[in-house]
Amino acid sequence: MPIETAHAERTVSPEFATSRLDNAETLELSVVMPCLNEARTLGTCIRKAQTTMERMGIRGEVIVADNGSTDGSQSIAESLGARVVPIRERGYGSALRGGIASARGQFVIMGDSDDSYDFTQLDDFVTKLREGYDLVMGNRFHGGIRPGAMPFLHRFVGNPVLSGLGQLFFGCPVSDFQCGLRGFRKDAIDKLELHTTGMEFSTEMVVKATLFKLKIAEIPTTLVPDGRGRAPHLRTWRDGWRYLRFLLLYSPRWLFLYPGIALFLLGVAVSIWLLPGPQTVGSVTFDYHTLLFGAMAILIGFESVNFAMFTKLFAISERLLPEDPRLNRVFRYVKLETGLLLGALLILAGAGIWVFGLSYWRSLHFGPLDPDKTLRIVIPGFVSLTLGIQIVLSSFFLSVLGMSRR
């Protein structure tokens, strides 16, 4: 709506504004709205939230986390009794983090200020939060998506795929990761120490809430076409990649561990199959050329598993991920000395294989060699020696990462 109209339709009562500002210690609810040039719809959202809180008898406040608006959004918010919190760092996540940090309510409900979400539904979220849930997610697919409210690609590809990956990777009990209307206990979310600054902030909240065992509920909510009259801030491919990137970076198992184990086992199987000699399948013959690729798969797979361990320990030490009891049990028995011993044995085995190969060459008076025979000696020795060195170096590095934990 135009700025003049927003000023003219001011409805918040002085008593309501005073209760929000003068009794911060008794506030139950803070409604946080990220804002970047939302003058057309901001006033409507604020009034809906205020009217709902008054109807429910909730002591609350509306916080507009302004991300640098130049269209007068700040004046609209202030005229309606909302509290404007300027956020310098650009980004959806930055705005929300700043708004949440400024919230004085026991509960926080966040929602976009483009009038696409129903702020008259606050009571449904508050009811669940009062029941003891830490995070209450809206679900647009259960509540209803009005025609034109969500692009086809987002509705049938982007959201289902990303939410499905989140459920697969982390076991999240949520089927609409990107819903922008959600409520939570402020103290519970503060403990998660959310970091992201962009649209992936919504995904980080759900993922970390799941990993840190918060109590999560999901309720139906509706999504209607926004009233901003311009292109949305969301960029399909850029922000879709940021969502996917976050899911991968927060799941060392799916990014490094599982692919690494699969590649390592494939390399071992191929190597064992081809070490005795060439193998023919149909009209195709596999020889030492394929054996080289098997060796490469073993080394790359092992390194990928290493990265999974490094990433997991680093993420735990930085409180990006919670403690993993299974990992603690592993490190109770597998110590630096264990890795050094195993690495030394592999190095000795590799060196022994190469000595054998040298003896074979000597028996031929250091003359021309048959690649079919010599490579089946050299390749296993190379893999064994390289794996041994990798294990020794990795053992030292894992011990460094684990020092702060001890």
Side-chain angles (χ1 to χ4, degrees):
M1 73 174 50
I3 296 177
E4 304 87 334
T5 307
H7 283 279
E9 294 182 2
R10 177 178 176 177
T11 60
V12 61
S13 65
E15 295 80 12
F16 181 70
T18 302
S19 69
R20 289 184 287 108
L21 298 175
D22 297 338
N23 297 288
E25 71 280 358
T26 63
L27 293 186
E28 183 179 18
L29 177 63
S30 295
V31 179
V32 176
M33 302 178 185
C35 176
L36 176 59
N37 297 325
E38 307 288 4
R40 291 173 60 95
T41 54
L42 181 60
T44 301
C45 295
I46 293 173
R47 282 192 296 274
K48 285 182 179 179
Q50 291 173 339
T51 301
T52 303
M53 284 191 280
E54 288 187 290
R55 172 172 55 80
M56 296 174 61
I58 293 178
R59 288 185 178 273
E61 63 178 350
V62 176
I63 295 175
V64 174
D66 186 74
N67 214 191
S69 297
T70 57
D71 64 349
S73 294
Q74 304 94 327
S75 300
I76 295 173
E78 290 171 350
S79 72
L80 292 172
R83 183 154 61 94
V84 177
V85 178
I87 309 296
R88 286 188 177 182
E89 185 180 3
R90 284 296 181 96
Y92 176 76
S94 297
L96 282 170
R97 286 168 54 200
I100 293 168
S102 302
R104 297 176 295 195
Q106 176 189 4
F107 305 138
V108 175
I109 295 178
M110 56 176 256
D112 298 345
S113 51
D114 60 4
D115 201 26
S116 59
Y117 290 108
D118 185 7
F119 283 100
T120 65
Q121 194 189 356
L122 299 183
D123 50 345
D124 295 336
F125 288 88
V126 172
T127 298
K128 284 292 184 182
L129 291 170
R130 286 173 175 171
E131 290 176 8
Y133 287 96
D134 299 303
L135 173 62
V136 182
M137 292 289 301
N139 188 313
R140 299 164 293 182
F141 296 93
H142 291 169
I145 301 173
R146 302 286 174 79
M150 185 183 293
F152 177 89
L153 193 62
H154 295 189
R155 183 172 183 175
F156 296 103
V157 181
N159 276 285
V161 168
L162 293 173
S163 296
L165 288 176
Q167 292 173 316
L168 175 65
F169 288 2
F170 309 102
C172 299
V174 171
S175 52
D176 186 6
F177 267 52
Q178 283 75 48
C179 183
L181 184 62
R182 60 186 69 182
F184 46 86
R185 299 179 62 88
K186 185 175 186 298
D187 58 350
I189 296 301
D190 283 345
K191 291 177 183 177
L192 298 181
E193 300 178 6
L194 304 177
H195 291 82
T196 50
T197 60
M199 289 292 183
E200 69 274 23
F201 177 85
S202 57
T203 300
E204 181 186 15
M205 181 183 291
V206 179
V207 168
K208 293 193 75 171
T210 302
L211 294 175
F212 282 88
K213 310 295 184 185
L214 298 191
K215 193 176 179 182
I216 303 174
E218 196 171 33
I219 61 176
T221 188
T222 57
L223 183 72
V224 301
D226 64 67
R228 57 166 54 106
R230 56 166 174 76
H233 299 304
L234 180 69
R235 296 293 179 265
T236 298
W237 296 107
R238 181 200 66 184
D239 292 314
W241 162 244
R242 292 183 71 159
Y243 284 129
L244 178 60
R245 180 184 66 183
F246 175 83
L247 292 174
L248 290 172
L249 293 177
Y250 249 73
S251 182
R253 287 183 305 161
W254 289 92
L255 180 60
F256 297 123
L257 183 62
Y258 294 157
I261 290 175
L263 196 59
F264 182 86
L265 294 177
L266 176 64
V268 170
V270 168
S271 298
I272 292 175
W273 185 49
L274 291 176
L275 271 178
Q279 301 289 342
T280 300
V281 178
S283 60
V284 179
T285 298
F286 298 92
D287 205 342
Y288 56 82
H289 311 85
T290 309
L291 181 60
L292 279 170
F293 281 96
M296 181 179 68
I298 291 174
L299 296 177
I300 294 176
F302 178 80
E303 199 58 41
S304 184
V305 172
N306 259 351
F307 272 111
M309 301 290 287
F310 300 156
T311 306
K312 183 81 170 182
L313 279 178
F314 175 78
I316 292 173
S317 66
E318 293 294 313
R319 272 192 55 80
L320 299 175
L321 294 174
E323 288 282 346
D324 189 334
R326 293 169 299 181
L327 198 62
N328 291 336
R329 285 195 295 271
V330 169
F331 283 118
R332 194 175 303 158
Y333 301 103
V334 180
K335 302 181 183 297
L336 170 63
E337 293 76 15
T338 309
L340 294 180
L341 178 60
L342 177 60
L345 290 175
L346 284 171
I347 290 172
L348 289 175
I353 293 172
W354 277 7
V355 168
F356 174 76
L358 186 62
S359 299
Y360 172 70
W361 189 22
R362 182 181 178 185
S363 69
L364 298 176
H365 306 290
F366 300 107
L369 293 171
D370 179 3
D372 185 66
K373 293 181 179 179
T374 54
L375 285 178
R376 284 182 167 81
I377 299 173
V378 173
I379 291 174
F382 168 77
V383 171
S384 181
L385 190 65
T386 304
L387 277 181
I389 295 173
Q390 284 182 317
I391 289 174
V392 169
L393 297 178
S394 300
S395 299
F396 278 114
F397 188 59
L398 284 171
S399 294
V400 172
L401 288 178
M403 287 177 68
S404 61
R405 294 160 53 81
R406 291 193 292 273

